[in-house]
Amino acid sequence: DQSLGIENQVQSLNRDLDSVGIANLCFHAAPIIRANGSFEFMNWDLRRKIFSRMMGFVRGVDFKYHCLVVDKKYVNTSDQIVAKLESQLEEWVDGNNVRFEDFETIKVYYDCGQKRITNLLHGFFNERRSLKVEFAQAVEPKKYKLFQVADLVCTLKLLEVKLQSDMGLSPCEKRFFGGPKAFKHDILRRIKAKEIILHKTHRFDILWVLLFRLCKSCSMVVSSWETWPTNALKEGFCNYLLNFNKRVKR
């Protein structure tokens, strides 16, 4: 029961994808950019068209996001990473940066890709009895466009961090976007218009993304993590995603 649905935007995105010959696509930003996985044999032009369609969808949907970050220079083990993420999530929720008590329901979407994160989310919200939290069952990224948006936001944020460090973009990333300057102007500035910045952070390797929509229901999506094949992020954890799709109390 959403007061601000996105059905029209989803239908428009599906039509746009159909127009380029890709129906029922589950968008995954990193493989599209790097031409691997299920996108390995797609040419640059088609991958760019798919990416542009998703960016158009992002611009047309009313949401905000916030990144929770962990710098692996200071935390190395998975236990330390999860503890740090829990600490930042606690600071975000309990610090009233977003008044979660104002929502009738907070619905959490997670694909259960990592048991540690599943336990973290359940334990964290079970301790906050004042919040009415529901966990969606049998979550699959392909079923939720905002889950795919969270994947895109996370990927772009990681690329932004690479530009801020000594790493820079990889050759395939430069080819896909046309170089760092084009990436910043054509892509990054558009997505950052929806970012909620609370404070400055240092370089990070671990990322959670929270997306917020003003709807009657509040939903949060967390995607499974993946490893980035770069020297600085080798064997690192990469995509912890959160997606909030809210139900505002009227």
Side-chain angles (χ1 to χ4, degrees), residues 5-15 57:
I6 61 172
E7 292 83 3
N8 292 337
Q9 292 94 325
V10 170
Q11 291 175 6
S12 177
L13 174 60
N14 289 336
R15 287 194 299 268
F57 176 76

Side-chain angles (χ1 to χ4, degrees), residues 22 25 32 35 38-47 50:
I22 303 295
L25 174 76
I32 287 177
S38 59
F39 302 93
E40 181 178 1
F41 300 106
M42 288 187 183
N43 59 41
W44 177 90
D45 184 61
L46 180 55
R47 288 185 288 112
I50 295 171

Side-chain angles (χ1 to χ4, degrees), residues 82 87 92 141 180:
V82 171
S87 174
W92 170 260

Side-chain angles (χ1 to χ4, degrees), residues 34-250:
R34 298 196 295 260
N36 58 26
S38 59
F39 302 93
E40 181 178 1
F41 300 106
M42 288 187 183
N43 59 41
W44 177 90
D45 184 61
L46 180 55
R47 288 185 288 112
R48 278 289 300 188
K49 286 180 179 179
I50 295 171
F51 191 93
S52 296
R53 267 52 173 192
M54 179 57 80
M55 284 296 298
F57 176 76
V58 166
R59 292 194 296 271
V61 174
D62 183 14
F63 73 89
K64 295 291 183 181
Y65 72 89
H66 172 65
C67 298
L68 304 182
V69 302
V70 176
D71 192 337
K72 284 186 64 183
K73 183 168 61 176
Y74 304 106
V75 290
N76 299 311
T77 69
S78 58
D79 287 340
Q80 291 175 328
I81 290 169
V82 171
K84 189 66 175 179
L85 287 169
E86 181 178 15
S87 174
Q88 294 191 23
L89 185 59
E90 180 178 5
E91 179 182 1
W92 170 260
V93 174
D94 297 343
N96 289 319
N97 295 303
V98 173
R99 294 190 58 83
F100 291 96
E101 294 84 357
D102 291 342
F103 302 110
E104 292 178 350
T105 306
I106 299 174
K107 194 164 187 180
V108 180
Y109 289 83
Y110 180 47
D111 64 358
C112 297
Q114 297 295 330
K115 185 176 180 180
R116 288 177 178 272
I117 302 307
T118 301
N119 293 340
L120 166 59
L121 293 172
H122 280 273
F124 179 85
F125 285 110
N126 286 339
E127 291 177 356
R128 286 153 180 80
R129 301 294 184 180
S130 62
L131 302 179
K132 296 180 179 179
V133 180
E134 298 177 3
F135 284 81
Q137 302 298 316
V139 175
E140 297 180 40
K142 65 181 180 181
K143 295 181 179 180
Y144 301 99
K145 285 295 188 289
L146 288 180
F147 205 119
Q148 297 168 43
V149 168
D151 171 80
L152 171 62
V153 169
C154 187
T155 299
L156 296 180
K157 187 65 178 181
L158 286 169
L159 294 179
E160 178 188 3
V161 171
K162 289 176 67 176
L163 285 175
Q164 294 171 347
S165 69
D166 295 333
M167 293 173 59
L169 299 180
S170 68
C172 65
E173 292 161 355
K174 290 178 182 178
R175 287 195 299 271
F176 188 81
F177 294 110
K181 185 175 181 180
F183 170 72
K184 291 179 181 179
H185 182 269
D186 299 336
I187 306 298
L188 189 58
R189 70 181 180 90
R190 299 179 187 276
I191 203 72
K192 286 184 70 65
K194 297 178 178 289
E195 184 176 17
I196 302 172
I197 305 242
L198 299 182
H199 51 75
K200 293 182 178 179
T201 59
H202 301 290
R203 179 188 62 81
F204 61 86
D205 295 342
I206 306 301
L207 174 70
W208 278 20
V209 178
L210 290 76
L211 291 120
F212 299 94
R213 292 194 62 249
L214 296 179
C215 302
K216 278 184 137 186
S217 155
C218 176
S219 42
M220 177 201 313
V221 176
V222 188
S223 102
S224 56
W225 52 24
E226 62 182 35
T227 303
W228 282 65
T230 58
N231 290 333
L233 300 179
K234 187 176 181 181
E235 295 181 356
F237 304 101
C238 277
N239 287 344
Y240 281 78
L241 305 176
L242 297 176
N243 167 2
F244 285 85
N245 171 15
K246 304 177 187 174
R247 196 174 312 176
V248 177
K249 183 182 296 183
R250 297 292 181 179

